[in-house]
Amino acid sequence: MQNKLLDYIPEHAHKGIQDLLSMDNLVVKIKSERKTRHGDYRQLPNNRHQITVNSNLNPYRFLITLIHEIAHFETYNKYGRFIKPHGKEWKYTFQHLMLPFLRPDIFPMDLLPLLAKHFKNPKASSDTDLQLALALKQFSEPNDKTYVYDVSLGQAFKLYNGKVFIKGNKRRTRFECLEIKTGKLYLFNPNAEVELLEE
């Protein structure tokens, strides 16, 4: 499995990831695309630990996601399970694990300043860092996906779960969107994936 995993990350990151995984003895599975997450970590009933990462991610996002999940495992081992999933212990661990990979032979030069800024205080998802998320998207395969920031004001769109919304005004970083069925107002990340509805 580890050789297959290496196909998904930049070549100069191979040794660093092999070292992390040989030390940690984690089960890593590559999954088909999931709309709600890029990856996850969990302790299995048999006391083994499993990380999953989506197969459709570009090499840079895949690497960030993989290390994000390894940081959950390391944090669990060091601090136990009674801490916040993305609290200060996880942030410190993620920063520490990611630092050796923030090099120009692994990441493109234009991504490095954005990554350096992001890792001063990493968030639960790199998607909430809009600048970084948009910069990472440019390395993905072209596709016909639509994102909230593409939707016109007042236009209807649908989520993967079938819920329909009307796009409203932008607050600081997110868009207010009204769910048609319930009349409730929700805040959407600009790069949430949606399906446009015909007017």
Side-chain angles (χ1 to χ4, degrees):
M1 176 53 160
Q2 203 177 75
N3 286 341
K4 187 177 180 206
L5 174 69
L6 296 179
D7 293 341
Y8 288 87
I9 62 174
E11 185 180 348
H12 287 96
H14 287 187
K15 181 169 184 339
I17 289 298
Q18 283 174 317
D19 290 347
L20 277 178
L21 294 178
S22 66
M23 238 173 17
D24 292 337
N25 192 24
L26 282 171
V27 177
V28 179
K29 292 190 173 180
I30 299 165
K31 298 278 193 177
S32 53
E33 181 181 8
R34 294 165 291 183
K35 300 285 185 195
T36 56
R37 64 179 66 118
H38 296 306
D40 66 12
Y41 157 76
R42 67 176 130 154
Q43 183 181 9
L44 301 173
N46 62 3
N47 284 331
R48 301 222 35 198
H49 299 267
Q50 178 180 282
I51 284 173
T52 65
V53 183
N54 290 2
S55 62
N56 66 316
L57 304 179
N58 70 51
Y60 310 115
R61 187 178 281 288
F62 193 100
L63 179 60
I64 293 166
T65 303
L66 178 61
I67 295 172
H68 173 126
E69 303 307 340
I70 292 172
H72 279 300
F73 170 74
E74 298 277 346
T75 307
Y76 175 90
N77 275 349
K78 188 168 184 181
Y79 302 100
R81 60 187 177 136
F82 299 109
I83 55 166
K84 291 182 179 175
H86 297 103
K88 63 181 187 213
E89 299 88 354
W90 172 82
K91 286 175 190 266
Y92 171 79
T93 305
F94 193 15
Q95 289 168 325
H96 176 74
L97 292 177
M98 196 68 205
L99 193 60
F101 294 92
L102 296 180
R103 307 188 326 242
D105 60 333
I106 294 178
F107 286 99
M109 285 300 287
D110 55 339
L111 277 183
L112 285 171
L114 297 174
L115 288 164
K117 184 179 169 192
H118 178 78
F119 280 99
K120 283 181 182 170
N121 184 20
K123 305 283 187 268
S125 170
S126 57
D127 280 346
T128 57
D129 183 336
L130 186 58
Q131 253 193 315
L132 177 58
L134 291 176
L136 283 167
K137 273 193 175 91
Q138 71 181 315
F139 298 100
S140 296
E141 293 290 319
N143 59 51
D144 56 358
K145 292 179 178 174
T146 304
Y147 303 94
V148 167
Y149 67 80
D150 295 321
V151 179
S152 304
L153 188 67
Q155 190 169 15
F157 65 86
K158 184 167 76 171
L159 286 184
Y160 65 93
N161 60 11
K163 292 184 178 181
V164 178
F165 296 82
I166 302 276
K167 182 178 173 183
N169 294 317
K170 187 175 184 181
R171 285 201 186 168
R172 271 186 42 238
T173 57
R174 297 178 178 222
F175 288 95
E176 294 178 344
C177 298
L178 185 73
E179 186 183 1
I180 293 177
K181 188 174 180 183
T182 63
K184 287 184 181 175
L185 203 59
Y186 290 86
L187 292 177
F188 273 77
N189 190 309
N191 53 2
E193 190 183 317
V194 300
E195 180 186 332
L196 282 180
L197 295 176
E198 297 298 319
E199 294 185 37

